[in-house]
Amino acid sequence: MALTRLALTDFRNHQAATLMPGSNFVVLIGENGAGKTNILEAVSLLVPGRGLRGAALGDMARSDGPGGFVVAGRMGDVDLGVGTLATAPERRVVRINGAPAAAGALSEWLSIVWLTPAMDRLFTEGASERRRFLDRLVLALEPAHARHTTRYDAAMRQRNRLLAGDVPADPDWLGALEAQMAEHGAAISRARSALVTMLNERIAATVDGPFARAALALEGWQDDGELGVELAQGRSRDAAAGRTLVGPHRSDLAVEHLGKGQPAARCSTGEQKALLLGIVLAHADLVAEQAGRRPILLLDEIAAHLDPKRRSALFEKLASGGGQIWMTGTEADLFEGLGKAASWFRVEDGKVLPSAASHPSI
């Protein structure tokens, strides 16, 4: 699973950029603000969801452009396109091989997982970001997960609006929405639980290395097959609260540092970064084993936060696993040793300059 071509039109600070990456390491070098992370964000839009920044679509179009943007990727003989129109800046348009498609269909072709500097706070901030992280991991193995989360969220929003109305809602309408939430909520819960179990088994089977080993668990709401009943019985309570208080949107991902026996939130920033890396690397191995394809990894500014020993260990692990790995950095020396194993690009003020060299002269 690798992109062989990526083209951006009026996306963020890129008026027009085309990359022809190799199938392994793709290294983007440039100063802060040059547009490196924007390229990773563009790649992340080729799967369902709001991308690695979680930004609104309307914020992604080039500020001095005509409005709207296009991100086009090619994988073998498959063309994937995502974008917006100037007349509908918040409406996502998806095309697969030139034909209109639903956003969820993208997950049938690509699996993408990312780590960004903002995720360094994943274990100390609210549960919503941890759920999104977990759901991205699930999506790599269960393409239908995107459909279940989308439909669950849509039904929940409708239910919340009905409960907040001045006129008592039609109980039959509420019941239909709650049935949808129960169906999709159960599927979400099962998929999350299955992935956590498989990841724990995969991590437990690995030998100790430079990256901390994690133990994962689901906390909060757990599916017991009675979500529909719980929702029906909790209408008055949820109306008073102004939100739905039971369901998979009330679950949390708990992570423990196995070596220290303490929650990730109590670990140092470096240890938390190592835990995240360990989870992502184990997940990539799991997907390769279960699905026969490795997810594309997007690692933003990853090398700058690792000491030389851990950088070397990370590159060795990534190289041995295979797959396409996109990385950004301000200095080429941070990726010393990759050489001709990588496709090198310099990013300067929204322009992407490929390099045939094996590193520094970019």
Side-chain angles (χ1 to χ4, degrees), residues 245-263:
L245 297 176
V246 293
H249 64 289
R250 303 288 290 180
S251 298
D252 194 2
L253 175 66
V255 175
E256 178 184 339
H257 188 306
L258 278 175
K260 302 185 73 171
Q262 69 179 20

Side-chain angles (χ1 to χ4, degrees), residues 3-8 17-21 39 42-43 46 71-73 326:
L3 293 173
T4 56
R5 183 178 186 273
L6 178 72
L8 314 183
T18 301
L19 296 82
M20 306 292 282
I39 294 173
V43 176
L46 294 174
V71 174
W326 296 63

Side-chain angles (χ1 to χ4, degrees), residues 7-30:
L8 314 183
T9 303
D10 292 319
F11 182 80
R12 296 290 190 182
N13 68 328
H14 295 278
Q15 181 177 3
T18 301
L19 296 82
M20 306 292 282
S23 59
N24 301 119
F25 293 101
V26 183
V27 182
L28 308 174
I29 302 299

